[in-house]
Amino acid sequence: MLTALTSGGKQVVLTRQWSLVNLREWRKNETFHCPQCKEQVLLKVGDIVIPHFAHLKQTTCRDSFSEGESPTHLLGKIQLYELFSRLHLQTAMEPYLPDIRQRPDLLVTWRNEQVPIEFQCSTIPIARILERNAGYDMVNMTPIWIVLTPQKVQDSSAFVLTHRFTQFQQHFIRQLHSPSKEVLSVFITYNPLKQQFHYLSHFIHLRGTAFAVCHSIMRSKHQTIPFAIPATPSIKDIEELTRQYQSARRKYLRSVIGYNQRGIQHRFLRACYEMRVQPIQLPAWIGVPTFGQAAFTESDSEWQLLLIAVMRQMRNTPFQLNLTILHSFVKTFEGDSIQQVEACQSYVDFLREQRIDIYRMDKFMGRDFVLEILSGRFLAMHARN
């Protein structure tokens, strides 16, 4: 814990303005107490671990104070406290909220609203996060969770990279609405050791939990409130997103035969067989990142080919397809069926706009639909920003 009360009742917040020498001298003549239980706490000042307070004995309030915090977590809380204070925002360190018996890392007052800030360094059960969010909701507060930057992201200086999001990380992806129907997904993380925010944004789903994303870095001293929104990807960034998407598409199509032990019983391979086309020879209009494609965990090539197969079996064209068929189609996939129907509709709209003849698998083999789609998507997303 980084806050305590002096014997005179004055609150102390251990920021970096305190030197180790001064703190060691101060603790010789001062006693400190827990703001919650009022029991005496010890001011620990070592040469390695960040100075902090700790209860002298077991108390009922230790759970809400999360003692035993890592040095990284302590440092991150201090830096974030200094950031918000520097922006002239009323900022409380580790305040106790009695109505819900919770203690956020920080509580920032912005535009007359109190916003809990949680800096999460370790992986904890999703149920615990939902429980804390439910508590904040009871007192009409919307928390901002900032996750410790993953090591792979810390080590990368690339503007575009591929990242596999764990189930835990996926829970902290924020959805920002844009002027178009697109939603800008943003994953904000913080690295205290370098005092940098890392943004992952403009997600393009590849397969499973893998996404091609734009990666931007911002020094904490340049951060704003509300948090800065990533800029529109440059032409070079969009070209790199396209390259990574196409690379993942080719990798999947080349591996699906060699690594799938079910062979022709695999429904994607069966559909290829029935259409008399090799997976690697699919036309460029199958396997494209149309709106909502992340609703499927499967590769775009897989679910889009299967949708084409359904249309062909029913002797339909994209102009004849109706929602009943789409609702029936998505029942064979895991995930949010409403979002998957929207994704299918967007893909069908793409086929209509391009006037694709789904019965001609030999057309548009070399056209770069991916670059066209991504360019149009991101330009529309930021058109009014």
Side-chain angles (χ1 to χ4, degrees):
M1 53 192 283
L2 295 171
T3 59
L5 300 176
T6 65
S7 55
K10 182 179 180 180
Q11 185 182 45
V12 177
V13 178
L14 297 178
T15 60
R16 290 177 293 178
Q17 69 179 6
W18 300 95
S19 70
L20 299 184
V21 173
N22 289 341
L23 288 175
R24 286 167 181 155
E25 285 297 318
W26 194 21
R27 69 181 177 181
K28 293 178 181 179
N29 304 308
E30 182 62 88
T31 57
F32 303 94
H33 301 268
C34 172
Q36 180 177 334
C37 68
K38 303 302 187 290
E39 292 288 339
Q40 186 174 349
V41 292
L42 177 66
L43 172 55
K44 294 187 174 183
V45 187
D47 294 321
I48 300 177
V49 179
I50 292 171
H52 61 283
F53 297 104
H55 285 85
L56 291 174
K57 58 183 179 180
Q58 183 73 35
T59 70
T60 57
C61 78
R62 291 189 64 160
D63 289 340
S64 61
F65 253 114
S66 301
E67 293 194 9
E69 297 169 271
S70 69
T72 301
H73 187 229
L74 290 170
L75 181 60
K77 283 202 300 187
I78 291 172
Q79 292 174 358
L80 291 172
Y81 176 86
E82 293 173 344
L83 164 64
F84 295 120
S85 298
R86 186 174 67 250
L87 294 171
H88 307 293
L89 297 175
Q90 181 181 333
T91 305
M93 174 79 80
E94 304 170 339
Y96 182 63
L97 306 178
D99 291 343
I100 56 175
R101 303 183 66 181
Q102 291 181 200
R103 186 185 304 278
D105 289 329
L106 304 173
L107 188 64
V108 178
T109 301
W110 182 67
R111 292 184 178 176
N112 297 320
E113 291 188 11
Q114 292 184 309
V115 181
I117 304 294
E118 298 279 12
F119 179 48
Q120 192 62 44
C121 291
S122 60
T123 299
I124 60 176
I126 300 297
R128 185 173 172 188
I129 298 169
L130 296 176
E131 180 182 2
R132 291 187 65 80
N133 285 344
Y136 291 131
D137 187 60
M138 289 176 60
V139 289
N140 297 315
M141 293 182 182
T142 302
I144 294 178
W145 291 79
I146 303 173
V147 181
L148 178 67
T149 306
Q151 190 62 52
K152 177 184 175 183
V153 178
Q154 288 186 32
D155 295 340
S156 177
S157 59
F159 293 111
V160 175
L161 51 84
T162 295
H163 184 73
R164 292 187 179 277
F165 288 85
T166 65
Q167 183 181 10
F168 176 76
Q169 291 172 347
Q170 290 178 40
H171 196 78
F172 299 104
I173 297 174
R174 301 174 63 189
Q175 308 296 331
L176 305 179
H177 292 278
S178 69
S180 68
K181 68 177 180 178
E182 288 275 10
V183 173
L184 176 61
S185 298
V186 180
F187 183 55
I188 303 176
T189 69
Y190 185 64
N191 176 11
L193 298 181
K194 292 187 177 180
Q195 299 186 56
Q196 294 176 335
F197 286 90
H198 288 253
Y199 284 74
L200 299 184
S201 62
H202 301 89
F203 289 40
I204 304 299
H205 180 244
L206 302 179
R207 185 182 174 216
T209 62
F211 291 77
V213 295
C214 289
H215 173 219
S216 55
I217 302 174
M218 173 180 287
R219 298 285 296 177
S220 62
K221 65 181 180 181
H222 296 144
Q223 187 58 275
T224 61
I225 296 298
F227 282 171
I229 296 176
T232 306
S234 66
I235 294 176
K236 185 177 180 181
D237 291 340
I238 295 175
E239 290 174 346
E240 179 60 20
L241 284 169
T242 299
R243 189 195 67 78
Q244 294 201 20
Y245 180 88
Q246 291 174 329
S247 175
R249 178 182 183 272
R250 287 192 299 270
K251 183 178 180 181
Y252 170 72
L253 295 178
R254 286 171 177 164
S255 66
V256 68
I257 294 180
Y259 293 98
N260 194 284
Q261 299 303 313
R262 288 182 291 172
I264 201 63
Q265 298 306 313
H266 187 277
R267 59 179 182 169
F268 172 75
L269 294 179
R270 176 173 288 277
C272 288
Y273 175 78
E274 292 173 350
M275 294 183 195
R276 303 293 190 268
V277 61
Q278 290 291 327
I280 198 61
Q281 295 176 337
L282 288 182
W285 45 270
I286 297 179
V288 291
T290 46
F291 172 74
Q293 38 100 244
F296 293 90
T297 59
E298 292 79 5
S299 164
D300 290 339
S301 297
E302 182 170 339
W303 70 263
Q304 290 173 6
L305 176 75
L306 293 174
L307 181 57
I308 295 295
V310 168
M311 286 190 278
R312 288 169 57 126
Q313 289 169 4
M314 302 186 71
R315 299 188 181 282
N316 283 161
T317 71
F319 293 92
Q320 299 169 312
L321 202 62
N322 58 55
L323 286 177
T324 301
I325 297 174
L326 296 183
H327 281 289
S328 177
F329 171 72
V330 301
K331 287 181 179 179
T332 62
F333 296 88
E334 294 184 359
D336 187 318
S337 60
I338 295 177
Q339 293 182 5
Q340 288 173 343
V341 167
E342 291 177 351
C344 290
Q345 187 64 63
S346 293
Y347 179 58
V348 171
D349 290 343
F350 159 77
L351 295 176
R352 291 170 177 167
E353 291 168 4
Q354 299 297 330
R355 306 194 68 83
I356 299 295
D357 182 352
I358 64 172
Y359 297 90
R360 291 289 305 275
M361 304 295 282
D362 59 337
K363 295 195 68 175
F364 301 111
M365 293 296 293
R367 184 168 171 182
D368 195 348
F369 288 112
V370 177
L371 182 59
E372 294 177 20
I373 290 173
L374 295 186
S375 297
R377 173 188 297 190
F378 296 138
L379 287 175
M381 183 181 295
H382 295 273
R384 301 178 190 173
N385 290 352

